[in-house]
Amino acid sequence: MIKQFLRTFLLLTFIFLVGCSKDDDPQNTPNPIPSNRLSTGDSAADFLSDELFSSLVIEVVYVEGYQPSQQSLDNLVSFINTRCHKSGGVELNMRSIAEPGDGDYDIQEIDDIEQDIRSQFNTENRLALFAMFINGKWHEDTDNSVVLGVAYRNTSFVIFEETLQRFSDQATEPDRVVMETTVFNHEFGHLLGLVDLGTDMQSDHLDTENGHHCDVEDCLMNYRVEAGISIGNISGGDVPQLDSQCIADLQANGGK
Ligand SMILES: [Zn+2]
Ligand SMILES: [Zn+2]
């Protein structure tokens, strides 16, 4: 079982969607509120600093049966409070939905679903994050490689919760909360502009072969943090942390 698990390559990724059209974004207005339809990393500074937004609402939408653990959501909020200046607080806004599709999703379908159901958007002083926990699987999953999460656009990520549950909590598999927390924090890290994705690097730690990931092996933003997940299972379960270079990048872009 362990071998089987280790052979399966768990992927955490991000995808650029073309940013907003001019129609979406009011032009020539004083201090316009940034749209939620921009590209991954575009709102990094807005998450990190409180210059534009002092509070954050996380709209958590899950397909019935695939609710993330409350502990994992609390861990994400704690990660956000550790790195981001949000003195007005971070609030969870949570609800379930019926299965929205055929269970085999590409990013265009995910984005279409978001446009149908998203209810929280940036408003004056409050930034909105859309986090969807979905049934089914990523359309390119194979027996040896599955996608657990994708950050897309500037304030959105999707977690393939059915897949994540399939690979956690059995006797030889990682702890569910450790795995969820790792994936949620990693995807949120991309929205914070890591690595070199809207947050400038203060030192060169970009993994050039694996796009916008950190080259420090045990960093949360390493492309193989899934290796940490499986090791975590054996050692009792530690969520990978950001290394000092990733933290320095965030601090230089207004974060803690
Ligand atoms: Zn990633
Ligand atoms: Zn790093």
Side-chain angles (χ1 to χ4, degrees):
M1 277 294 275
I2 287 179
K3 268 189 179 167
Q4 188 62 46
F5 174 71
L6 291 175
R7 273 208 303 271
T8 302
F9 195 57
L10 306 174
L11 296 172
L12 308 159
T13 191
F14 75 93
I15 288 178
F16 272 117
L17 286 175
V18 178
C20 67
S21 71
K22 287 197 166 63
D23 297 341
D24 294 343
D25 206 16
Q27 301 288 301
N28 303 320
T29 46
N31 300 318
I33 296 169
S35 160
N36 294 97
R37 305 282 304 155
L38 307 179
S39 299
T40 309
D42 284 354
S43 290
D46 292 339
F47 279 110
L48 290 164
S49 87
D50 58 1
E51 217 164 284
L52 266 187
F53 301 101
S54 61
S55 64
L56 171 70
V57 58
I58 308 176
E59 182 176 4
V60 172
V61 176
Y62 62 91
V63 174
E64 204 62 64
Y66 300 104
Q67 183 172 0
S69 315
Q70 187 60 45
Q71 182 63 56
S72 305
L73 293 174
D74 291 345
N75 290 346
L76 174 64
V77 170
S78 156
F79 178 71
I80 292 171
N81 281 320
T82 303
R83 296 295 156 215
C84 303
H85 293 278
K86 291 291 167 260
S87 55
V90 178
E91 176 196 335
L92 290 172
N93 172 311
M94 199 153 154
R95 72 176 190 282
S96 66
I97 56 166
E99 290 191 9
D102 61 4
D104 189 272
Y105 302 103
D106 63 25
I107 205 62
Q108 193 56 58
E109 287 170 286
I110 296 292
D111 191 51
D112 289 346
I113 294 166
E114 172 180 338
Q115 290 202 67
D116 282 347
I117 66 174
R118 183 168 181 158
S119 69
Q120 304 292 315
F121 302 92
N122 299 341
T123 56
E124 203 174 328
N125 240 350
R126 193 174 76 163
L127 185 62
L129 166 65
F130 179 79
M132 180 158 65
F133 301 82
I134 204 159
N135 65 305
K137 63 178 186 62
W138 177 244
H139 68 118
E140 289 174 329
D141 280 359
T142 67
D143 287 345
N144 298 313
S145 163
V146 299
V147 168
L148 295 177
V150 182
Y152 63 100
R153 297 209 180 274
N154 54 326
T155 59
S156 311
F157 67 72
V158 61
I159 303 298
F160 289 91
E161 185 73 22
E162 183 173 353
T163 306
L164 194 154
Q165 292 187 6
R166 193 150 54 87
F167 285 99
S168 56
D169 267 1
Q170 297 300 311
T172 56
E173 291 173 352
D175 177 81
R176 173 82 47 85
V177 170
V178 170
M179 192 155 167
E180 284 184 334
T181 302
T182 302
V183 176
F184 302 174
N185 290 1
H186 179 98
E187 297 308 335
F188 186 71
H190 284 309
L191 299 184
L192 294 183
L194 295 173
V195 172
D196 200 25
L197 184 67
T199 288
D200 289 343
M201 287 191 293
Q202 303 303 300
S203 58
D204 183 11
H205 60 112
L206 180 65
D207 177 354
T208 46
E209 277 175 30
N210 297 292
H212 298 293
H213 287 108
C214 178
D215 65 8
V216 175
E217 206 172 317
D218 59 357
C219 176
L220 173 70
M221 297 312 294
N222 190 276
Y223 86 109
R224 301 192 67 164
V225 289
E226 63 277 359
I229 296 171
S230 44
I231 292 163
N233 177 46
I234 296 158
S235 66
D238 285 327
V239 175
Q241 306 294 303
L242 291 174
D243 80 304
S244 59
Q245 296 176 91
C246 281
I247 292 172
D249 293 354
L250 297 182
Q251 288 173 342
N253 199 22
K256 293 183 195 169

